[in-house]
Amino acid sequence: MSSNSYCQNLVPNPGFEDTIACPTNYSEITNANGWMSFGESPDYFNSCSSGIVGIPTNFAGNQPALGNAYAGLYTYDVGGSDYREYIGTQLSFPLVIGTRYYLSLLINRGDNLTCSSNNIGFRFFTDVFYSTSNPIPTDNFSHFHSSSIVTDSVNWIKIAGSFIADSTYQYVVVGNFYNGSSTSSSNCSTIDGAYYYVDAICVSQDSLTCYVLSEIEIQEHGQMVTLYPNPVSDILNVKNVKKFSQYAILNSIGEIVKSGVLNGEQIDVSAYANGIYFLLLERKNSFKFFVNH
């Protein structure tokens, strides 16, 4: 692996922003550059569309994007068929055996369905073995998954973890790889299923690279500092920060847009343009957050 890949996200087009064509219907994940189906018919949503796959309103609910796009997939079917949808892409570099990789993504449950499930996570492959018509089997294996049932249909929720590569994997796939008896669910009717929007997928050797989170925590001054909400539209809460800490907010190209001394736990970012920013505390700890009005 190239040395400059250490601190980068190995997932190209992680937020589905690079578009081959504007989606107009279901099942068009291949319109997001580099992405493909590893099972059944996952969807692609983009603000360029005003129909059933538009943003923020679409067939699954109403949800703003971090940028202009996100993916969507079914993770659970109460009918007993173990229907699952999977999205995948080729990594920028193959994984290195024996190396720890950090993983993260953001999900949000489509609010037109009340059904929620757990087990959403990551699985890696050395080649493209599966497709729309030949889906990954629900064989109860993943390299990392969340055991929590995500019910939130308003906020983007972080799923994050790590694993040590045991092969030179070249593809990452996201979904629920566990069958019905091994999956927990809530608020599901007899004909219902769980459907989630997915965004900001990350695989990196550097844990900080994958801190695209719904909340960010780091040890500072003996306490656990937390930033929320993330994305934020107006008031950014900075919980447990030491009073009178020096801070600076930088934009995505490193320019300081605000600086000062914290005399509370809130920062007004309502005047900032949509995009990525960094909160720097005491000139040493940096926290990434998104502004999305």
Side-chain angles (χ1 to χ4, degrees):
M1 180 179 291
S2 169
S3 61
N4 64 13
S5 69
Y6 173 80
C7 293
Q8 77 177 69
N9 184 359
L10 299 181
V11 179
N13 198 15
F16 310 95
E17 304 293 321
D18 184 0
T19 304
I20 295 175
C22 186
T24 60
N25 211 334
Y26 308 106
S27 313
E28 296 185 353
I29 189 63
T30 54
N31 280 356
N33 193 20
W35 288 93
M36 65 194 86
S37 169
F38 274 65
E40 304 300 348
S41 54
D43 305 299
Y44 178 45
F45 302 90
N46 197 295
S47 60
C48 65
S49 177
S50 59
I52 57 175
V53 288
I55 289 175
T57 302
N58 48 65
F59 76 86
N62 185 295
Q63 179 61 31
L66 300 179
N68 297 306
Y70 47 71
L73 47 86
Y74 278 94
T75 63
Y76 179 68
D77 171 35
V78 299
S81 67
D82 283 338
Y83 179 89
R84 305 284 187 270
E85 293 178 342
Y86 302 104
I87 56 172
T89 190
Q90 186 172 11
L91 299 169
S92 300
F93 299 93
L95 302 191
V96 176
I97 295 173
T99 300
R100 180 173 294 279
Y101 289 88
Y102 296 89
L103 320 170
S104 71
L105 56 80
L106 298 180
I107 64 171
N108 175 275
R109 198 200 75 219
D111 55 8
N112 283 350
L113 294 172
T114 61
C115 186
S116 304
S117 77
N118 67 346
N119 288 342
I120 300 169
F122 296 78
R123 187 162 171 176
F124 293 86
F125 295 91
T126 57
D127 206 341
V128 181
F129 301 112
Y130 303 102
S131 64
T132 298
S133 58
N134 180 36
I136 295 172
T138 52
D139 54 3
N140 299 328
F141 173 78
S142 65
H143 290 95
F144 173 80
H145 69 277
S146 171
S147 59
S148 299
I149 299 176
V150 176
T151 61
D152 202 317
S153 62
V154 176
N155 302 295
W156 287 100
I157 301 301
K158 171 198 66 175
I159 291 177
S162 68
F163 88 112
I164 297 175
D166 58 354
S167 185
T168 55
Y169 297 115
Q170 298 187 60
Y171 292 84
V172 59
V173 182
V174 169
N176 173 16
F177 306 93
Y178 295 80
N179 61 29
S181 61
S182 299
T183 297
S184 298
S185 62
S186 66
N187 296 322
C188 299
S189 71
T190 57
I191 58 172
D192 208 351
Y195 188 91
Y196 288 89
Y197 304 120
V198 181
D199 205 350
I201 298 173
C202 183
V203 177
S204 178
Q205 290 186 47
D206 177 27
S207 62
L208 293 180
T209 298
C210 287
Y211 271 12
V212 184
L213 311 177
S214 57
E215 83 176 13
I216 301 174
E217 298 183 333
I218 192 167
Q219 194 75 19
E220 169 77 355
H221 301 299
Q223 291 185 300
M224 192 65 74
V225 174
T226 304
L227 265 64
Y228 67 93
N230 191 16
V232 57
S233 61
D234 46 20
I235 301 299
L236 180 68
N237 295 281
V238 189
K239 186 178 179 182
N240 292 332
V241 67
K242 185 179 179 182
K243 198 171 184 180
F244 304 123
S245 292
Q246 289 185 334
Y247 79 95
I249 293 179
L250 289 70
N251 61 19
S252 60
I253 60 174
E255 297 172 333
I256 296 177
V257 297
K258 187 175 185 178
S259 63
V261 176
L262 283 173
N263 193 24
E265 293 188 334
Q266 293 186 329
I267 301 174
D268 186 353
V269 298
S270 59
Y272 298 176
N274 289 352
I276 300 172
Y277 294 85
F278 298 86
L279 173 64
L280 184 64
L281 289 178
E282 298 291 348
R283 300 181 179 179
K284 59 180 181 178
N285 282 331
S286 178
F287 305 78
K288 182 189 291 184
F289 66 94
F290 291 86
V291 173
N292 187 22
H293 301 296

